[in-house]
Amino acid sequence: MVIKKKQKSLPHKKYKPKLAVFKFASCDGCQLSLLDCEDELLAVTGEIEIAHFLEASRRVLDGPYDLSLVEGSITTPHDAKRIRDVRKISRTLVTIGACATAGGIQALRNFKDVKEFVSLVYARPQYISTLATSTPIVEHVPVDFELRGCPINKSQLVETISAFLQGRKPQTPTSSVCMECKRRGTVCVMVAQQMACMGPVTQDGCGAICPAYNRGCYGCFGPKETTNTESLAKWFLEMGMKKEEVMRTFRGFNGYAPEFRQESERQEMG
Amino acid sequence: MIAINDRESFTILLKVLQEKGYTVIGPTVQGQAIVYDKIDSIQDLPVGCGDEHRPGGYSLRKRGDGALFGYVVGPASFKKFLFPPSQKLWQAKRTKDGFDVQKEKKERFKMAFLGVRPCEIQGIMVQVQVFLKGNYVDSHYQKRRKDNLIIAVNCSEPGGTCFCTSMHTGPSAKAGFDLCLTEIIEEKRHYFVAETGSPGGEVILKEVPHCEASASELKHRDQIMDKAENLMGRTMDTSGIKELLYRNRDHPQWEKIAQRCLSCANCTMVCPTCFCSHVTEGTDLTAQDVQRVRSWDSCFTSDFSYIHGRHVRHSTSARYRQWMTHKLASWIDQFGMSGCVGCGRCITWCPVGIDITEEVRNIRLGSVPNPNDSAKGVHDEND
Amino acid sequence: MARSKTDPMTPAIFHVKRVIRETEDTFTIELIPSNGTTGFSFKPGQFTMLYVLGAGEVPISISGDPFEKRCLTHTIRSVGNVTRLLQKLKAGEGIGVRGPFGSAWPVKASQGRDVIIVAGGIGLAPLRPVLYTVLKNRKKYNRISLLYGTRTPEDILYHQELMKWRSQFDIDIHVTVDQAGKSWKGNVGVVTTLISRIAFDSTQAVALICGPEVMMRFTIQEFRQRGLNNEDMYVSMERNMKCGIGFCGHCQYGPYFICKDGPVFRYDLVEDLMKVEEI
Amino acid sequence: MKSKTIKVNHLARVEGEGALDIKIQGKKLKDVKLRIYEPPRFFEAFLRGRDFREVPDITARICGICPIAYELGASYAMEDICGIKVEGQLRALRRLIYNGEWIESHVLHVYMLHAPDFLGYQDAILMAKDYPEVVKRGLRMKKIGNEVLALLGGREIHPVNLCIGGFYQVPAKQKLRTLLDNLKWGRDAALETVTWVAQFPYEDLNVDYEFVAMRHPDEYAVIEGRLVSNKGMDIPIRGI
Amino acid sequence: MRTIEDLIKEHRFFKDLSSEHIETIAGCGKNMVFKSGEYLAREGNPADQFYVIRQGKVAIDIVTVEKGTVIVQTVQDGEIVGWSWIIEPYYWRFDVRAVETTHAVALDGKCLRGKCEKDHDLGYALLKRFSGVLARRLEVARLQFLDVYGVQQGQAAVQKTKGKRHGTK
């Protein structure tokens, strides 16, 4: 005989996907973007369970997590292991920001000798455990989606979470900053004022703010698709910049991104 | 033919337009460039301001006179007012079994464009052909274009990257305007010779103090405009250009251009005729409210030619070839006119100064011979 | 085509009648216009833009019966965000539809001729309306052949219908697959191998071809060998149609916009373009 | 004797970047270890060889929660070296953007990190269930801080408009004016916040600490002040 | 009843051969019937014949560890199967199996090989025709290899492509 268990009529509760935020070597700025979504924050938490977000909550729910946002680059042996653990407990892993997608500003060490850096900065180098390089997450584990920027753009973050919830691809352009700059109606600072601008080789997403504030883009969203850094660098030189300056221009917050790295190395060598 | 004397009458012209409910849009100085924006008074115009155009370079200069239209063209054309860089097409609310498209508020755009150069008139005409003359009418474009008044100003001092003479679109406006002015600055006089092109233009002119232009005034105007025709900084040989570009899809020059081209899309963004766009799905987190937003797109991006799993035009050379071949050749097949108006913006605002006129010349050099010109069978199909 | 009164960028609401699974990754969706009264007419070969709220729009060929005015049918391969969501729709749910857009197969102009329909993979979908039409007016056509190739036997679309048509004996149907196991009794080999097996009069035959570009190119070569002229072959081209009406530029193909000049082209008009890389 | 170890692996209130190990033996505290495992990033080292104008943007990346402090700190340092003094309205604007960061960061601190602790919640989101209006007020205040940052700096985190000598572009007056109403509301909200926070239960613990702070009689002390303590320390910071 | 010679004469594969050569070839042929499932040839066996399929259908297949028996191609009425007899080392590379009852003319390749050696005109004529068969097989194989109906790379997992960089360190 089958005994039918009397079912309690529980109010229908929909499953909320679990969100986790992890930090590696970084400035916290990208995860702060989530808290900076003042208008959307409560709506976000209505749709998604914040299960692990140490910047915002001491409540930690166990994994696996449906969506993990990973900020920061891998710079220590401990972190190189930790990211593999994070991957294991993450169904979807999205890296956020230049550190996580390109190694960040701290990847400038990759062009130098880190041992010298350690002794230069720390009075007691023996306490410092570090890798010789700062590398993007994707060099360590598979990544489902990369959200660029130093820092990431708030609306792009909301769009990414939104896309995750709808089960679609995030609408984040891979084209140049110039396109947004022109749509915004900013007069090109490079053509009209001869300022060095990384806009033509940098991925859009920031909203083309730098030229709108009368300065050249410094490439904080990293290389756009199909970059021609060589041509831009050549033009910089024709504008009167020194090789050294051109090298530094490419070696910034996304200096370790392959396209920018190659160009800065080309300028450094030749 | 009529002469509007001095700047005072010009102030009245602005007043008349404003009184008739027009938002006047014309040249201003912003961000060290001529920017078309809302004009409230004559002070907003770039008085005594000139501009220099060269491949990948632009600067303003003081002319030392009181010219109101002494510049060539602004970086952005009037396109942005008729075909905005980003605009909502429609919005919808989710319902139980689908969604409801929300009714749009009725918006009225009554815009008077002031200082429209002949090349820019042609730019508008080209987009009108695209958006309003086909099987389908773009209601969004139509709305903005409907009550649109065009006050053209002939181009008496073309710039370093101009080639409208080659494209037969300037420097004098022949049609497409309501009112067309030629600014004339003599040692002691500053006046405009005006020509009406529509009843709407006549209505406006009636309310502005003017007199019949004298023979000498007209002569002066003709002299200026004749001279202007030969002042173009660039020329483009358009003879047989369609076939030339169709024949040369494998020309080595495309690869050479790609070495310089940044595929940054600036040329398409500043082009007064480029009309490509994409639509994004603007949702809130729960996708209850959705907006479909159309924004300018460009054939220079890889996503532009994305077709499940691949990008058709993955190389920069293919993208440049697509753009230039479309602009100068296939446009003629599609719309019965060239997509290029000779304004030179793509040359000036290319961050690395790629010059479309020069590239046409390069394609002509070493072009595949026209099969009609020479004996057939030169190419062995079985090689 | 008549000028549309409403804005052509705004979709009409349709409701899902049912979703039929065809193969592992392909399904057919039947839609009914929400206003209930107005029918829907299209020409074989045309496509619509299907819109899922929150996800976006995709161009999909109409695969249903042109004589069925109340039901709009599409066969879709689920490969992207929108198509995946379309597959998950339940009866009664609403989606947006714009269209029909684009050119059509020369169904009427082919009357009195031998009609050879060559389809590869999902390419059978936009040709199915042709089959409905020619079979309904069977007497108006000479020989009718359908050559259909897929990857494996599991990928064959409209299996039941193919069986039914085959048993009518008024159409010569050949199906082949690229790969099959031992139990498969049908043909193995690419679809081009079928052309030598059918009979047609090359002086008055017309070939309607739809499938991956490579498949279409080889099919055309084969037909040329059999004496068919370029003007007697039609192909359906694929690009990323976004607006469907020539406003957005995405589907440009040489001097054409696939969305309004295509997707069906007489082969001689696109012959040169098909050879150009990255066009 | 009984011994006990308390281990806190992630101190949430330092953004999870630290751990605390406490060893207790009997009734005596045996050992306390605060481990900060934020990986080293070597700003001091890789700044060498950079153009002095690049320094503020780079140092901003030390912390995304308080980038202005680093951007302005670096700017002042460079200006001191160059012998430049930024005065007048530019100085006022700098002060304003600093305040924007202050508002944003302190509200985050008060509303999202500490109030939950005092009121017994794990975070502000859970707290919002019982105190929706309070959390909303906090979020709105935070947003106002961010608006100041975005307007003057181009964006909230790592603003782009600050440079040595002032700003790349001075904001238009009418744009600044748009902040006014919100800021007025914010002032009231700040007062309400003080009243609210004053009701929190504070532990009555007195320890003989030496408290250190920056001090300036009439200027924002972090920029211009001297380092002082309650036990008599008083040293200059700038222009050493 | 039609003789094998008639059959060969009418077949397009042997079109334009001299009547002398046709006679020679026909002399090496015999009619055969294969039931469904019967093998016309086995991989690795000496290729001593080829077949003109008169009626029916045969599958050229290969046994694989991964997928079991995979049919590479089917050949039917009016088509030729078997080229191994004319190209060294004269071993079948695939199995040939009747999918349905198949009537075929089996031609003795061993015998023909000898005749071709003696009569190079015949050898050339046959080699020319069989290189055509080979070329067709190659074309078909290449097209199959392209897997034109397959889901394109990167289509399924839109963003996972990024993972490619993983492990490049």
Side-chain angles (χ1 to χ4, degrees), chain B residues 80-369:
Chain B
K80 62 179 177 179
F81 300 102
L82 294 171
F83 173 46
S86 227
Q87 78 183 123
K88 188 178 78 188
L89 293 179
W90 50 271
Q91 67 179 52
K93 254 192 177 7
R94 193 184 285 279
T95 59
K96 257 203 310 240
D97 61 349
F99 57 92
D100 270 340
V101 177
Q102 310 282 289
K103 261 226 159 95
E104 289 300 314
K105 262 188 278 167
K106 276 226 166 97
E107 262 177 303
R108 198 154 172 222
F109 298 93
K110 208 172 170 190
M111 296 181 284
F113 295 161
L114 176 64
V116 186
R117 296 301 189 191
C119 60
E120 300 190 295
I121 296 179
Q122 182 61 19
I124 294 169
M125 291 310 141
V126 169
Q127 290 212 326
V128 162
Q129 188 69 28
V130 172
F131 288 125
L132 304 180
K133 296 287 168 74
N135 285 332
Y136 294 95
V137 170
D138 185 306
S139 64
H140 305 275
Y141 192 91
Q142 194 179 34
K143 230 180 336 194
R144 286 162 189 270
R145 172 68 187 142
K146 207 172 136 244
D147 297 320
N148 193 201
L149 196 76
I150 292 181
I151 301 169
V153 177
N154 283 332
C155 224
S156 51
E157 293 172 39
T161 58
C162 288
F163 57 103
C164 64
T165 302
S166 305
M167 304 313 292
H168 313 293
T169 57
S172 307
K174 302 281 189 290
F177 53 81
D178 296 285
L179 200 61
C180 176
L181 310 173
T182 308
E183 185 174 33
I184 300 173
I185 299 170
E186 289 171 355
E187 217 166 296
K188 289 190 180 135
R189 252 185 93 206
H190 182 182
Y191 65 99
F192 295 87
V193 174
E195 197 182 331
T196 54
S198 75
E202 276 165 31
V203 169
I204 301 289
L205 192 62
K206 245 181 224 159
E207 299 184 32
V208 179
H210 62 270
C211 59
E212 200 62 31
S214 69
S216 73
E217 284 167 346
L218 288 179
K219 199 177 158 206
H220 195 169
R221 183 199 66 169
D222 291 346
Q223 277 170 350
I224 289 173
M225 293 320 297
D226 285 348
K227 206 174 128 202
E229 233 169 81
N230 299 311
L231 283 175
M232 298 292 147
R234 295 271 180 292
T235 57
M236 186 194 278
D237 175 5
T238 57
S239 56
I241 195 152
K242 195 177 95 178
E243 292 72 23
L244 175 80
L245 293 174
Y246 283 174
R247 264 203 319 276
N248 285 287
R249 291 193 172 107
D250 294 324
H251 200 293
Q253 186 61 24
W254 302 121
E255 203 40 63
K256 275 197 189 147
I257 301 169
Q259 285 167 13
R260 294 172 63 205
C261 177
L262 305 171
S263 66
C264 62
N266 272 301
C267 48
T268 55
M269 297 286 110
V270 294
C271 177
T273 70
C274 272
F275 59 84
C276 288
S277 64
H278 67 259
V279 176
T280 44
E281 184 84 357
T283 57
D284 60 345
L285 280 165
T286 51
Q288 294 303 311
D289 288 291
V290 174
Q291 289 199 346
R292 297 278 291 169
V293 177
R294 175 167 76 181
S295 309
W296 290 355
D297 201 352
S298 169
C299 52
F300 278 93
T301 73
S302 72
D303 278 349
F304 189 79
S305 65
Y306 180 85
I307 172 167
H308 46 71
R310 70 200 170 97
H311 303 274
V312 175
R313 286 177 219 111
H314 47 85
S315 72
T316 300
S317 58
R319 294 182 208 167
Y320 191 90
R321 180 185 66 187
Q322 156 65 23
W323 176 69
M324 190 161 121
T325 309
H326 187 210
K327 194 104 303 199
L328 299 171
S330 42
W331 209 294
I332 301 170
D333 275 335
Q334 292 178 321
F335 303 108
M337 50 175 76
S338 176
C340 177
V341 299
C343 70
R345 284 189 180 88
C346 58
I347 307 171
T348 306
W349 299 98
C350 171
V352 293
I354 296 173
D355 178 349
I356 190 172
T357 65
E358 190 188 319
E359 297 312 336
V360 169
R361 263 191 296 281
N362 286 331
I363 296 288
R364 274 189 202 280
L365 292 172
S367 148
V368 174

Side-chain angles (χ1 to χ4, degrees), chain A residues 47 166 171 176 183 224 231, chain B residues 260 263-264 281 286 296:
Chain A
E47 296 301 312
Q166 318 294 328
Q171 302 170 106
S176 70
R183 283 193 284 248
K224 78 172 186 82
S231 171
Chain B
R260 294 172 63 205
S263 66
C264 62
E281 184 84 357
T286 51
W296 290 355

